Amino acid sequence: MLSSKPPSPWRSRVTSAPETAPDTLAGFTVGITATRRQEEFRALLERRGARVVTAPAIRLAPLDDDTDLLATTARCLEDPPDVVVVTTGAGFQGWMSAAEGFGLAEALSARLAAARLLTRGPKARGAVRAAGLDDHWTAPGESCTEILTHLLAEDLRGRRIAVQLHGGSLAGFTGRLRAAGAEVIEVPVYRWVPHADPSPLRRLVAQALSGAVDAVAFTSAPAVRATLREARLMGREDALLGAFAHTVVAACVGPVAARPLAEQGVPVLQPARPRLGALARALSVHLPEHGVTRVAAGGHHLEIRGHAVLVDGEMRPLPPAPMSILKRLADRPGHVITRAELRLVLPGTIARDPAEHAVEMAVTRLRRALGPSGIVDTVVKRGYRLALR
């Protein structure tokens, strides 16, 4: 008898995943909460064989009006900043676009050209260069923390620093700059708000709690916070954090996105480089390594994944009820599991059927889906087990 099951909880890690075979995620279900570039990310996962559940957690909302941004832009023109921190490419482009609408684009470009521009990563740097401006330094790890360290290494007393916000407050960042003596101008270009329709996100939370998804991928910290908020409104935040700590992989594109979960003590899978492609590759390495239970039963080798099982190397998708039965039997190969115990793992709507009928139907569907006979034994008047022979 061979049984291999990943320890729980799994270790948090940053992984530099190699290129992987096209079907490495076959049999796994991944939930994605991204709004921007959702289709691109979905395609990256599906290309590797994953089943993808989309549940946008947030949406990009413009400011209720442009009054604050206009006032901030005017302030930058009247008292030009010495340093400008560009945190996102989309945000900087939005600022320049708004300035054009105000009739201030040329004047703002001149002021920015005279300042020292620090960018958080390649996209921010690309937006600066696309505007015909020169960037002076880019954070190698694409984090605001690096920019803050870079700035605090010099005397900031009396310096004027404009910080382009990216969907939320950067109070810790700007507070440290002010404490060092700088005058800080916060540029509110856009903000993240909960998605208009919370239903998909609520379903994803429920699927994570029921074990119907193997991983949930996040591409931003606001998406993480929105997901936890929705779980809290459902009265299930602690349960979701528990699932992330033990049974469901929480995968984040980088350390900034991971921070809200890390602060809760949740292990997070991250790629070495904060890119969508790298995140997809990290999942395609991690899930087959840590999200698989391998057993030998009835003379056949089973590799149990999220929504499918490989029987002697052949992929066989399983509906939720038969999969729940198989996973419970695989917890103790060769041991008899009673019908009463098996009923407890069935999805809620099925479990409300009479116990005998619900379990028997699920086992019948399981045997039919597995194909070869002799994998699941019936032990008369006791229950079922994975066969040892």
Side-chain angles (χ1 to χ4, degrees), residues 63 91 106 111 128 137 142 147 164 167 193 196 218 221 235 238 254 296 341 344 364 384:
L63 297 172
E106 187 174 343
R111 291 292 189 269
V128 166
W137 185 81
E142 304 180 33
I147 296 178
Q164 174 243 309
V193 297
F218 298 99
D238 288 343
E341 290 179 83
L344 295 176
T364 297
Y384 302 93

Side-chain angles (χ1 to χ4, degrees), residues 300-303 309-316 369-372 375:
H300 300 278
H301 292 281
L302 308 184
E303 185 175 297
V309 56
L310 274 73
V311 181
D312 298 328
E314 182 179 347
M315 185 71 68
R316 296 180 178 271
L370 290 176
I375 294 176

Side-chain angles (χ1 to χ4, degrees), residues 90-333:
F92 187 77
Q93 290 167 350
W95 188 15
M96 298 304 293
S97 177
E100 186 173 353
F102 302 148
L104 301 175
E106 187 174 343
L108 179 61
S109 292
R111 291 292 189 269
L112 296 180
R116 183 158 56 103
L117 273 63
L118 309 183
T119 58
R120 189 168 66 98
K123 293 180 183 176
R125 181 178 61 209
V128 166
R129 293 180 179 180
L133 300 168
D134 294 326
D135 56 286
H136 295 75
W137 185 81
T138 297
E142 304 180 33
S143 74
C144 286
T145 301
E146 291 172 303
I147 296 178
L148 181 61
T149 301
H150 183 79
L151 285 170
L152 292 178
E154 57 191 81
D155 185 358
L156 297 181
R157 288 174 294 182
R159 307 297 299 277
R160 188 174 294 108
I161 303 175
V163 179
Q164 174 243 309
L165 304 180
H166 54 91
S169 171
L170 287 175
F173 182 88
T174 57
R176 292 284 301 278
L177 294 178
R178 290 189 175 104
E183 176 188 345
V184 179
I185 305 170
E186 298 182 22
V187 184
V189 180
Y190 58 76
R191 59 192 174 93
W192 292 109
V193 297
H195 200 270
D197 180 10
S199 301
L201 187 58
R202 285 180 162 247
R203 284 194 294 271
L204 178 58
V205 170
Q207 288 172 305
L209 295 178
S210 69
V213 297
D214 303 288
V216 178
F218 298 99
T219 56
S220 71
V224 175
R225 286 191 285 267
T227 301
L228 296 179
R229 173 183 176 275
E230 202 59 48
R232 185 161 57 251
L233 293 174
M234 298 166 65
R236 307 305 305 276
E237 183 180 16
D238 288 343
L240 181 62
L241 290 170
F244 283 150
H246 294 88
T247 58
V248 179
V249 176
C252 294
V253 74
V256 175
R259 187 169 297 124
L261 289 173
E263 289 172 350
Q264 298 280 355
V266 173
V268 179
L269 177 70
Q270 300 175 53
R273 286 175 54 79
R275 297 286 185 274
L276 289 184
L279 180 58
R281 287 193 296 275
L283 280 166
S284 66
V285 169
H286 183 88
L287 285 176
E289 181 180 344
H290 296 273
V292 170
T293 299
R294 297 176 177 86
V295 296
H300 300 278
H301 292 281
L302 308 184
E303 185 175 297
I304 303 169
R305 298 190 171 199
H307 65 261
V309 56
L310 274 73
V311 181
D312 298 328
E314 182 179 347
M315 185 71 68
R316 296 180 178 271
L318 292 181
M323 177 58 83
S324 297
I325 294 288
L326 177 60
K327 287 182 177 179
R328 182 65 185 88
L329 295 175
D331 284 341
R332 301 179 66 198

Side-chain angles (χ1 to χ4, degrees), residues 38-49:
Q38 180 192 103
E39 291 305 316
E40 177 188 350
F41 190 31
R42 178 176 189 141
L44 286 169
L45 294 169
E46 289 181 338
R47 197 175 302 144
R48 290 171 167 80

